[in-house]
Amino acid sequence: MSGTELLTTTRSIRRRLDLSRPVERRDLLECLDIAVQAPSGSNRQPWRFLIVQDGDTKERIAGYYRKGFAANLSGRTPRPDQLGDLASGQYLAEHLAEVPALVVVCSLGRLPEPASALRLASFYGSVYPAVWNFMLALRARGLGSCLTTAHLAYEREIAELLGIPFDEVTQVAMVPVAHLLPGSDGPGRRVPAAEVTMWDRWV
Ligand SMILES: Cc1cc2nc3c(=O)[nH]c(=O)nc-3n(C[C@H](O)[C@H](O)[C@H](O)COP(=O)(O)O)c2cc1C
């Protein structure tokens, strides 16, 4: 697969996660080795990865995820083009505990306070590139994943469950990982770059 194909066809995988096939620790670690090649502010490398494979623990995380997902939806009227994504989001919420590996991505430190554009950019921007590197590396190996955050409404409860020191570490995302079931991945539905790009001045 070319670099361009990998970059343009790595999608959020939910229904095509193979829930019956385990994921090897070696594969996860190889992909995390690629994840940690991502940039971070002052090369701080604040990322930490907690991989959950234990069934009971996944069940409990899934319970929080479902509550967070339902709360995100409540009161929202989805656009017609969002209905497919919502159904696939619902599928993931219902099957999260069956996904072989849940990779909880954390950053050392709590959210910067007071928040500012600079501090938030540095905080999240020092971890999310690694998350995306991870997802790309997974896909290059025939594994599928989806960046999720719906569980973060219950960050404190999940920290307690997993033994994460809440006062010192912030959870920023969770990436369910499984082998990919057959199917095709094309370019995502996106507004062309030319329509969202300006030159020299905001117009
Ligand atoms: C910051 C962020 C948070 C997201 N949170 C969730 C989530 O909680 N659950 C989910 O199913 N997808 C989540 N997604 C995935 C998006 O829904 C998805 O990237 C978007 O719809 C585009 O689809 P694609 O990735 O297949 O191109 C999240 C993506 C990002 C970047």
Side-chain angles (χ1 to χ4, degrees), residues 10-12 14 65 69 72 85 89 92 128 146-151 188 190:
T10 300
R11 301 268 73 81
S12 298
R14 304 182 184 93
Y65 184 89
F69 186 77
N72 273 351
D85 284 349
L92 179 64
Y128 266 72
C146 179
L147 197 165
T148 73
T149 49
H151 61 298
R190 300 292 192 264

Side-chain angles (χ1 to χ4, degrees), residues 3-198:
T4 298
E5 187 183 355
L6 180 68
L7 288 165
T8 53
T9 62
T10 300
R11 301 268 73 81
S12 298
I13 305 296
R14 304 182 184 93
R15 292 182 199 272
R16 283 177 50 229
L17 296 171
D18 187 341
L19 304 177
S20 62
R21 184 172 164 197
V23 170
E24 295 290 326
R25 282 190 175 194
R26 193 194 55 231
D27 286 335
L28 290 167
L29 272 175
E30 268 181 33
C31 292
L32 287 172
D33 265 333
I34 292 168
V36 300
Q37 288 298 318
S40 61
S42 306
N43 199 21
R44 282 185 295 114
Q45 305 169 54
W47 41 67
R48 295 293 182 271
F49 308 98
L50 201 165
I51 303 177
V52 181
Q53 294 185 298
D54 173 70
D56 289 342
T57 313
K58 287 191 295 179
E59 227 17 289
R60 293 187 60 189
I61 293 174
Y64 290 122
Y65 184 89
R66 275 191 292 275
K67 284 203 276 182
F69 186 77
N72 273 351
L73 292 188
S74 73
R76 263 178 53 185
T77 312
R79 295 190 314 262
D81 65 295
Q82 289 177 317
L83 292 174
D85 284 349
L86 280 182
S88 101
Q90 188 67 46
Y91 175 89
L92 179 64
E94 282 163 18
H95 293 276
L96 192 68
E98 299 159 58
V99 180
L102 303 181
V103 180
V104 176
V105 185
C106 302
S107 182
L108 295 181
R110 283 308 303 170
L111 277 174
E113 277 186 50
S116 68
L118 173 62
R119 297 173 86 187
L120 284 176
S122 172
F123 188 81
Y124 285 107
S126 289
V127 191
Y128 266 72
V131 175
W132 184 231
N133 259 20
F134 180 52
M135 293 173 67
L136 292 169
L138 289 166
R139 166 138 161 79
R141 283 164 179 70
L143 292 154
S145 67
C146 179
L147 197 165
T148 73
T149 49
H151 61 298
L152 290 178
Y154 297 93
E155 188 201 351
R156 192 180 279 277
E157 289 83 348
I158 294 172
E160 208 161 286
L161 173 69
L162 300 178
I164 298 171
F166 182 84
D167 294 337
E168 296 154 36
V169 173
T170 306
Q171 294 167 59
V172 302
M174 175 170 64
V175 184
V177 179
H179 284 276
L180 264 176
L181 291 170
S184 63
D185 303 286
R189 284 175 286 111
R190 300 292 192 264
V191 177
E195 291 180 31
V196 292
T197 304
M198 290 157 267

